[in-house]
């Protein structure tokens, strides 16, 4: 009897091994076509991780169009915890979702891991020709399209119409003009600041440096040039240092209870943020509902207008997936579907990367209730065109963001001058890069 | 000649049976304590970089930890936190426990339940609650201060910060520690009070000279757990960090620094080495504390 059992097991084991090697040996288009019928009979469930609001609506649209596929939407937390989870699951070799959100700044960290599916193998190249080019580029690595973009969030100033009118402020077109308005405001009231500069947020500081033409990293294989403390950083430091010294601004971290209350209760006239700012309204706008408007980001040099992407994300499919083809197709669909992009724009102001959406008739006339019916899309359309497609993130951008937030934030709090923070950052980040095996040029 | 060997085999059998009963515990210990510890030590001997991958470095990570100002700076913060946290928590919990035990409190069980309610609040929620209260302009404490004509206190300022963090832990844990003390006080035989009263002791004298020495072991136990808790400080500052990332940096406590090295700087090996140094130091401090407590105990007897 024991013998029989043994034989049974080993035979089953042999059969299993045989099927596996057969599948591995023949995993070409022919097999996919042959097994397509079988796959269609059993509903596939794909897991999709994102923290972005309205994703449930996008999933409903997807499921309606794909009867054989169920999507399990999970919010496992936002950055940085989300990326810690991804990093751990890649190391563990299992547990990743089929598809997940991937921010532009984090792609260089995850691209070399081999955990991301090259979406070009599943038809990505056909859709990207109709995309905002810089967003496509941010998710490429060594000629592979390891993700497809979803939103293009350039900077703009979101402001309080009521406060601007009450204190007779003008909408600034240059950063100097913003400081002038800050002085005008301070002369009238101690209760309202012109703006809160989110110096403790590395992503915020980075975007505002990039908007001034900052190019801190140039990566060439394992050689990296790091120039953090350059003229752009010095201009940034001098400008915001004067704002701090004159008492025109506060510099607290964003999205804290204090930040939310301050922006709802009229403690700030302006808020500088990416196009996703409107999506944050759900978390704090109560008494200020309907009083917010949008105006373009002030420029350093109006003759050469620049913008930067604050955040910005796309979708990647993971090679761990049991259904790589379906996972890749889900990522591509979520990125390219016109109804989904339109939904995100009309519900939360997210600016689409799909040009078919942003050039469609009526797009410029979309009125967001968050902005009292203002037609904001034209502002962001122009802003998107001002982003430098050649900007390079570092391959350890999460580390860079945290260090910038700590050092620039501490300097803004009075520990030292902002300019000194950038000198420190240059040293810290260059030494981290060389610890990580890069050949560093400064 | 036959008898000792029989006794020997009997002894062997009893030992074997003992091990059979211990086996489940030993297996769990091996799987969830010993194996991870060994693995942690193993990876602490390597270095992993984005370029170049993994290589063996021997004790290099440990040498780096010994000279790392970020790592040792965290110990200063922990010490300042402990100086605020342990005395206030212990004294407060003792006072309340004595008060409840004195029988002068109406419906004392209500107070017990009420005071230990905060223990049921998860630390995550506690940190969120207090981050609302700590806001300088729109937080409750700031508003009260301004209402009374004072400037709003900056509760994240470096000298105040350890107290602001300790306050959250004290708020959460006083009720729990109080219950621990209260339980010990309940075990004090009531006839001692009569005897003390006959000897002319007042209420507070009885509490101080009779009750407190009798619950000494509970106090020592609580102090030991508080000390370990301080040395492993992580959750409260980690959660408050989003409110003031420029004040509560990633090296604020040794535990936070270890977490940051693994998940922020992606240096798992160095993180493992830090964990080992931290664990060893915690063990040594606790051993020293227990030795001290025992000597004091012997002296008082």
């Amino acid at each position: 009897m024991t013998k029989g059992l043994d034989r049974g097991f080993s035979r089953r084991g042999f059969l299993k091994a045989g099927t596996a090697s057969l599948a591995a040996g023949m995993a070409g288009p022919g097999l996919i076509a042959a097994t397509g019928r079988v796959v269609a009979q059993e509903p596939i469930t794909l897991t999709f991780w994102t923290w972005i609001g309205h994703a449930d609506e996008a999933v409903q649209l997807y499921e309606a169009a794909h009867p054989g596929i169920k999507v399990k939407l999970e919010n496992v937390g936002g950055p940085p915890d989300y990326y810690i989870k991804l990093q751990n699951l890649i190391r563990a070799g299992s547990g990743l979702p089929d598809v997940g959100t991937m921010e532009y700044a984090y792609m260089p960290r995850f691209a070399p891991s081999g955990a991301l599916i090259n979406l070009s193998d599943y038809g990505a190249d056909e859709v990207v020709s109709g995309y905002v080019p810089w967003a496509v580029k941010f998710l490429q690595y060594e000629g592979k399209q390891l993700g497809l973009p979803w939103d293009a969030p350039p900077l703009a100033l979101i402001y309080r119409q009521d406060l601007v009118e009450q204190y007779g402020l003008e909408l600034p077109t240059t950063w100097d003009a913003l400081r002038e308005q800050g002085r005008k405001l301070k002369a009238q009231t101690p209760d309202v600041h012109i703006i809160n500069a989110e110096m403790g947020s590395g992503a915020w500081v980075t975007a505002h440096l990039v908007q001034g033409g900052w190019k801190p990293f140039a990566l060439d294989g394992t050689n990296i040039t790091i120039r953090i403390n350059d003229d752009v950083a010095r201009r940034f430091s001098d400008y915001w240092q004067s704002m701090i010294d004159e008492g025109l601004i506060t510099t607290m971290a964003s999205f804290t209870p204090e930040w939310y209350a301050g922006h709802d209760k009229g403690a700030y006239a302006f808020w500088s943020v990416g196009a996703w700012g409107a999506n944050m309204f759900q978390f704090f706008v109560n008494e200020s509902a309907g009083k917010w408007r949008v105006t373009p980001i002030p420029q350093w040099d109006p003759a050469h207008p620049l913008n930067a992407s604050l955040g910005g994300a796309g979708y990647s499919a993971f090679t761990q997936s049991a259904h790589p083809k379906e996972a890749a197709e889900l990522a591509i669909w979520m990125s390219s579907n016109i109804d989904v992009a339109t939904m995100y724009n009309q519900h939360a102001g997210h600016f689409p990367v799909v040009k078919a959406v942003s050039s469609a008739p009526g797009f410029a006339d979309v009125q967001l209730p968050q902005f009292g019916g203002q037609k904001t899309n034209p502002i962001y359309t122009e802003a998107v065109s001002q982003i430098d497609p050649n900007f390079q993130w570092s391959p350890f951008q999460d580390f860079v963001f945290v260090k910038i937030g700590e050092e620039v934030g501490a300097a803004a709090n009075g520990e030292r001058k902002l300019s000194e923070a950038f000198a420190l950052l240059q040293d810290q980040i260059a030494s981290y890069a060389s610890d990580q095996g890069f050949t560093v040029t400064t | 000649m036959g008898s000792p060997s029989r006794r020997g085999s009997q002894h062997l059998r009893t030992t074997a049976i003992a091990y059979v009963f211990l086996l489940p515990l030993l297996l769990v210990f091996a799987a969830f304590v010993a194996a991870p510890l060994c693995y942690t030590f193993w990876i602490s001997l390597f270095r992993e970089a984005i370029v170049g991958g993994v290589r063996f470095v021997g004790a290099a990570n440990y040498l780096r930890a010994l000279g790392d100002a970020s790592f040792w700076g965290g110990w200063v913060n922990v010490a300042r936190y402990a100086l605020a946290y342990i005395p206030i928590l212990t004294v407060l919990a003792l006072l309340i426990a004595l008060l409840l035990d004195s029988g002068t409190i109406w419906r004392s069980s209500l107070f017990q339940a009420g005071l230990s309610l905060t223990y049921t609040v998860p630390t995550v929620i506690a940190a969120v609650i207090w981050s609302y209260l700590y806001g300088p302009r729109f937080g409750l404490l700031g508003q009260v201060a301004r209402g009374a004509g004072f400037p709003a206190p900056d509760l994240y300022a470096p000298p105040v910060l350890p107290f602001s963090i300790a306050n959250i832990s004290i708020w959460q844990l006083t009720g729990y520690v109080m219950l621990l003390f209260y339980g010990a006080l309940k075990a004090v035989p009531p006839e001692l009070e009569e005897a003390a009263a006959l000897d002319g002791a007042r209420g507070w004298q009885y509490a101080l000279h009779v009750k407190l020495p009798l619950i000494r072991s509970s106090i020592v136990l609580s102090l030991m757990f508080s000390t370990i808790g301080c040395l492993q400080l992580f959750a409260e500052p980690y959660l408050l960090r989003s409110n003031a990332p420029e004040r509560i940096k990633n090296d604020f406590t040794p535990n936070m620094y270890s977490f940051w090295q693994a998940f922020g700087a992606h240096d798992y090996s160095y993180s493992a080495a830090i964990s080992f140094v931290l664990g060893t130091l915690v063990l040594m401090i606790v051993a020293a504390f227990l030795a001290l407590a025992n000597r004091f105990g012997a002296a008082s007897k």
Side-chain angles (χ1 to χ4, degrees):
Chain A
M1 193 186 152
T2 327
K3 263 189 174 172
L5 254 180
D6 276 343
R7 201 162 55 204
F9 273 126
S10 65
R11 221 180 108 187
R12 232 170 286 159
F14 170 75
L15 281 177
K16 222 190 269 175
T19 334
S21 61
L22 196 73
M26 290 179 59
L31 187 79
I32 292 169
T35 55
R37 186 176 48 86
V38 183
V39 170
Q41 277 173 350
E42 292 171 46
I44 291 175
T45 301
L46 298 174
T47 310
F48 174 33
W49 282 4
T50 190
W51 64 90
I52 290 156
H54 302 284
D56 50 336
E57 295 168 47
V59 164
Q60 279 171 15
L61 288 171
Y62 179 82
E63 287 183 336
H66 300 80
I69 302 178
K70 284 242 154 286
V71 176
K72 203 166 132 213
L73 177 68
E74 290 177 339
N75 179 358
V76 300
D81 298 346
Y82 170 81
Y83 295 104
I84 292 174
K85 212 161 273 181
L86 288 192
Q87 179 85 13
N88 287 343
L89 295 173
I90 289 171
R91 287 178 80 92
S94 68
L96 282 173
D98 296 284
V99 174
T101 297
M102 180 63 63
E103 282 172 280
Y104 304 145
Y106 289 83
M107 178 51 85
R109 143 95 43 215
F110 288 102
S113 68
L116 309 180
I117 292 177
N118 182 3
L119 299 178
S120 295
D121 296 344
Y122 298 92
D125 298 345
E126 291 155 35
V127 296
V128 295
S129 55
Y131 278 23
V132 170
W134 55 261
V136 176
K137 209 171 165 190
F138 282 165
L139 295 176
Q140 281 169 350
Y141 174 76
E142 294 184 344
K144 287 174 282 192
Q145 196 70 42
L146 298 181
L148 276 185
W150 159 67
D151 74 328
L155 293 169
L157 287 182
I158 295 182
Y159 67 96
R160 287 284 296 267
Q161 173 75 9
D162 54 329
L163 296 177
V164 164
E165 278 172 14
Q166 185 183 344
Y167 295 105
L169 305 177
E170 289 153 30
L171 298 180
T173 54
T174 65
W175 288 106
D176 283 341
L178 181 75
R179 183 167 47 197
E180 279 310 311
Q181 301 309 307
R183 290 174 182 144
K184 203 195 278 184
L185 188 57
K186 194 186 180 218
Q188 297 177 67
T189 173
D191 293 331
V192 187
H193 286 95
I194 190 75
I195 200 167
N196 175 66
E198 296 159 18
M199 295 297 184
S201 158
W204 191 94
V205 172
T206 302
H208 286 77
L209 285 161
V210 175
Q211 195 256 336
W214 198 46
K215 287 186 179 117
F217 304 108
L219 187 68
D220 175 20
T222 58
N223 297 310
I224 188 167
T225 306
I226 301 180
R227 297 216 174 100
I228 285 164
N229 192 17
D230 65 353
D231 289 343
V232 176
R234 271 187 284 280
R235 186 175 60 186
F236 174 96
S237 305
D238 292 347
Y239 175 77
W240 290 105
Q241 190 71 54
S242 72
M243 296 280 259
I244 293 167
D245 294 346
E246 291 183 41
L248 305 182
I249 61 168
T250 60
T251 57
M252 66 178 166
S254 51
F255 311 132
T256 65
E258 191 75 358
W259 187 98
Y260 286 134
H263 284 75
D264 188 40
K265 293 178 192 300
Y268 301 98
F270 290 90
W271 173 29
S272 183
V273 67
W276 44 265
N279 191 44
M280 297 304 291
F281 279 18
Q282 55 181 313
F283 301 114
F284 71 97
V285 168
N286 292 311
E287 54 190 73
S288 62
K291 296 172 179 169
W292 296 90
R293 300 290 183 274
V294 182
T295 189
I297 197 76
Q299 293 296 332
W300 296 101
D301 177 6
H304 300 98
L306 279 175
N307 210 308
S309 177
L310 174 47
Y315 304 110
S316 286
F318 296 97
T319 47
Q320 279 182 19
S321 170
H323 309 286
K325 179 172 173 280
E326 287 78 7
E329 284 168 0
L330 172 63
I332 294 170
W333 191 92
M334 278 290 164
S335 160
S336 61
N337 185 272
I338 287 177
D339 293 336
V340 170
T342 309
M343 179 277 290
Y344 276 118
N345 179 249
Q346 293 184 356
H347 287 190
H350 292 296
F351 196 85
V353 293
V354 182
K355 284 185 191 158
V357 177
S358 54
S359 61
F363 182 77
D365 298 321
V366 171
Q367 295 177 303
L368 280 187
Q370 287 94 325
F371 297 120
Q374 184 190 2
K375 294 171 182 173
T376 57
N377 277 340
I379 295 174
Y380 288 109
T381 302
E382 191 183 14
V384 162
S385 72
Q386 295 168 346
I387 292 178
D388 176 8
N390 295 317
F391 181 78
Q392 278 198 346
W393 302 100
S394 71
F396 34 79
Q397 193 62 38
D398 47 348
F399 177 88
V400 172
F401 279 159
V402 171
K403 280 293 161 194
I404 291 179
E406 285 189 351
E407 294 303 341
V408 177
N413 252 340
E415 270 186 38
R416 57 181 69 85
K417 294 287 170 201
L418 286 178
S419 54
E420 293 166 340
F422 283 99
L424 279 177
L425 284 168
Q426 171 70 35
D427 291 345
Q428 288 176 1
I429 292 167
S431 110
Y432 180 76
S434 86
D435 275 354
Q436 288 298 327
F438 291 95
T439 310
V440 180
T441 314
T442 54
Chain B
M1 179 98 184
S3 130
S5 87
R6 202 185 303 146
R7 210 181 298 150
S9 77
Q10 205 171 359
H11 175 76
L12 204 68
R13 204 165 59 203
T14 348
T15 319
I17 289 171
Y19 275 109
V20 168
F21 278 103
L22 277 173
L23 196 64
L25 179 74
L26 286 176
L27 282 179
V28 170
F29 181 84
F32 295 105
V33 181
L37 264 179
C38 293
Y39 181 65
T40 307
F41 181 70
W42 175 247
I43 62 172
S44 76
L45 303 176
F46 293 83
R47 174 105 178 78
E48 186 180 350
I50 297 176
V51 180
V54 183
R55 67 195 153 89
F56 183 81
V57 293
N61 285 319
Y62 290 92
L63 293 174
R64 182 178 159 202
L66 292 179
D68 189 337
S70 281
F71 178 60
W72 298 108
W75 288 88
V76 176
N77 288 328
V78 160
R80 286 164 56 194
Y81 166 85
L83 284 177
Y85 168 71
I86 297 178
I88 296 177
L89 174 84
T90 311
V91 170
L92 204 63
L94 261 181
L95 278 179
I96 299 171
L98 285 171
L99 212 62
L100 288 178
D101 188 55
S102 70
T104 54
I105 304 285
W106 175 78
R107 295 269 169 101
S108 76
S109 58
L110 272 186
F111 283 91
Q112 283 167 46
L115 286 165
S116 48
L117 253 187
T118 54
Y119 180 62
T120 65
V121 177
T123 307
V124 180
I125 308 295
V128 170
I129 294 171
W130 284 97
S131 69
Y132 271 96
L133 300 176
Y134 283 173
R137 177 141 177 212
F138 298 98
L140 180 74
L141 300 176
Q143 288 186 341
V144 167
R146 268 200 312 281
F150 297 103
D154 180 1
L155 295 165
Y156 295 102
V160 189
L161 189 54
F163 288 90
S164 302
I165 297 172
N167 174 55
I168 299 176
S169 324
I170 292 167
W171 176 82
Q172 239 193 327
L173 290 175
T174 301
Y176 172 74
V177 177
M178 179 273 290
L179 278 186
L180 194 86
F181 292 156
Y182 183 72
L185 284 171
K186 276 284 158 220
V188 173
E191 52 272 23
L192 287 181
E193 183 166 14
E194 246 169 75
L198 280 177
D199 286 342
R202 292 168 191 279
W204 65 267
Q205 287 173 319
Y206 166 65
L208 204 65
H209 297 297
V210 179
K211 279 183 177 177
L212 278 191
L214 284 172
I215 64 163
R216 199 185 63 90
S217 62
S218 292
I219 298 173
V220 169
L221 191 74
S222 145
L223 284 175
M224 190 181 79
F225 281 129
S226 303
T227 309
I228 297 175
C230 287
L231 295 170
Q232 299 193 331
L233 182 63
F234 178 81
E236 290 88 348
Y238 182 75
L239 292 162
L240 275 187
R241 184 180 141 77
S242 63
N243 293 278
E246 67 284 354
R247 254 83 176 267
I248 306 173
K249 295 187 183 178
N250 277 306
D251 55 3
F252 190 76
T253 75
N255 230 349
M256 280 178 76
Y257 190 54
S258 168
F259 180 85
W260 154 252
Q261 282 299 336
F263 302 116
H266 304 279
D267 195 340
Y268 290 82
S269 292
Y270 187 46
S271 169
I274 291 173
S275 302
F276 247 90
V277 177
L278 175 63
T280 311
L281 286 173
V282 170
L283 263 180
M284 284 163 63
I285 290 170
V286 170
F289 175 83
L290 283 180
L292 214 69
N294 280 337
R295 184 182 294 177
F296 264 107
S300 73
K301 274 173 204 164

